[in-house]
Amino acid sequence: MSELARPPASVGTLIREWRSRRRLSQLALASRTGVSTRHLSFLETGRSQPTRDMLRRLSEHLDIPLRDRNALFLAAGFAPAYPEHRLADVPMSAVTDAIAQILRGHLPYPAVVIDRHWTLIDANDAVFTFLDGVAPHLLEPPVNVLRLSLHPDGMAPRIRNLGQWRTHLLDRLWHQVTITGDDRLAQLHRELQTYPAPSGEAAAPTNALVVPLELATADGDTLSFLSTTTVFGTPLDVTVAELAIEAFYPANGVTRLSIATRINSVPSSVG
């Protein structure tokens, strides 16, 4: 049966699926939420219907993403609990202003904003450091930053530690698939696995603290970056909850000096 033809899951089925995804027994979840195992069993089988408050408690203890919490409420016959605004909507102005400040403040180093599917939402000008030699078709919206990184027509030929970086990204993506059950992320993971991978890639040094992104430049340098991920704390909007800012920092003095030299060599447009 196709996705379009498949009937919507019942609220009990959704609760059971999320409980299984979190690898919790009925007893464990019932204990956490302060209900009896019998009552939780009745909710999952449809013999009882959850109240709105019960759905909130279950969602919190199961750490369900806001988008999927809304689906849970809808399946139970309630209105969605969390709004979903576009970034251009007026209520999102504080969020977009904060993102703009972070992107500007991170210059001269690259930073990008992505959604839950790794789609590029925004970036600062320093991201062009990553884009030398990337095929135009990978830069046509919507741009997926994982595809951009690992595709043979993307950044992959310039990534000196491609095996390490590829493993890092695939592991991170699979973790997202595991905790969200998102079919699009699972499909993206399958796609990325088909891309060519170097053979015999050395493992990261045992004294390494993180996996860096090591990127070759046209002039023969190797830039090395560490990455961090920033999300909004305690989001109450679906869109805000799904945004992340990936910021890259120089991993060594050579990279820091190279970036500074590149910036200083660009003529100022002021005046």
Side-chain angles (χ1 to χ4, degrees):
M1 183 180 293
S2 69
E3 290 289 335
L4 293 178
R6 184 179 298 140
S10 68
V11 65
T13 297
L14 292 175
I15 293 171
R16 183 173 65 253
E17 288 178 352
W18 281 106
R19 179 178 59 77
S20 298
R21 190 169 290 127
R22 298 296 182 258
R23 299 185 178 183
L24 290 173
S25 65
Q26 285 187 342
L27 177 60
L29 181 57
S31 297
R32 292 185 181 188
T33 54
V35 301
S36 68
T37 305
R38 177 184 175 88
H39 182 55
L40 180 58
S41 175
F42 280 12
L43 293 177
E44 291 188 353
T45 59
R47 295 181 64 180
S48 296
Q49 287 297 305
T51 64
R52 193 175 181 87
D53 179 65
M54 176 56 67
L55 288 179
R56 286 185 182 276
R57 289 159 61 190
L58 290 171
S59 296
E60 290 170 1
H61 287 285
L62 290 171
D63 194 23
I64 300 176
L66 299 194
R67 180 178 299 276
D68 298 291
R69 294 188 192 193
N70 279 348
L72 203 64
F73 280 99
L74 287 170
F78 299 114
Y82 302 93
E84 180 178 1
H85 293 95
R86 297 174 302 171
L87 283 174
D89 292 344
V90 172
M92 298 286 279
S93 60
V95 171
T96 54
D97 287 348
I99 290 173
Q101 290 182 48
I102 293 172
L103 293 179
R104 286 195 304 269
H106 195 63
L107 290 169
Y109 307 122
V112 299
V113 183
I114 57 174
D115 67 11
R116 73 189 190 281
H117 293 134
W118 294 80
T119 304
L120 181 66
I121 303 300
D122 201 357
N124 64 15
D125 289 343
V127 78
F128 288 103
T129 301
F130 292 163
L131 302 183
D132 288 345
V134 170
H137 70 89
L138 291 174
L139 299 176
E140 296 176 0
V143 175
N144 184 278
V145 299
L146 294 187
R147 185 178 294 117
L148 183 68
S149 298
L150 300 182
H151 195 285
D153 294 334
M155 293 170 55
R158 296 174 54 214
I159 299 178
R160 291 281 174 85
N161 61 332
L162 179 58
Q164 295 171 13
W165 189 248
R166 180 179 184 273
T167 298
H168 162 66
L169 292 185
L170 288 175
D171 286 350
R172 184 173 170 185
L173 178 57
W174 183 247
H175 177 69
Q176 287 183 273
V177 173
T178 302
I179 65 175
T180 65
D182 190 305
D183 289 338
R184 281 185 59 183
L185 289 177
Q187 183 178 355
L188 178 62
H189 187 270
R190 289 192 293 270
E191 175 192 335
L192 298 181
Q193 285 184 306
T194 67
Y195 294 170
S199 59
E201 175 72 22
T206 55
N207 62 344
L209 300 178
V210 296
V211 176
L213 170 62
E214 298 179 352
L215 198 65
T217 66
D219 52 15
D221 291 336
T222 296
L223 303 181
S224 184
F225 294 94
L226 307 179
S227 64
T228 64
T229 304
T230 300
V231 297
F232 286 89
T234 60
L236 296 176
D237 178 276
V238 173
T239 300
V240 177
E242 295 174 346
L243 292 176
I245 301 173
E246 297 283 326
F248 295 83
Y249 295 83
N252 52 41
V254 172
T255 301
R256 187 177 297 106
L257 180 60
S258 177
I259 294 295
T261 301
R262 291 165 188 268
I263 293 298
N264 292 334
S265 67
V266 177
S268 174
S269 59
V270 178

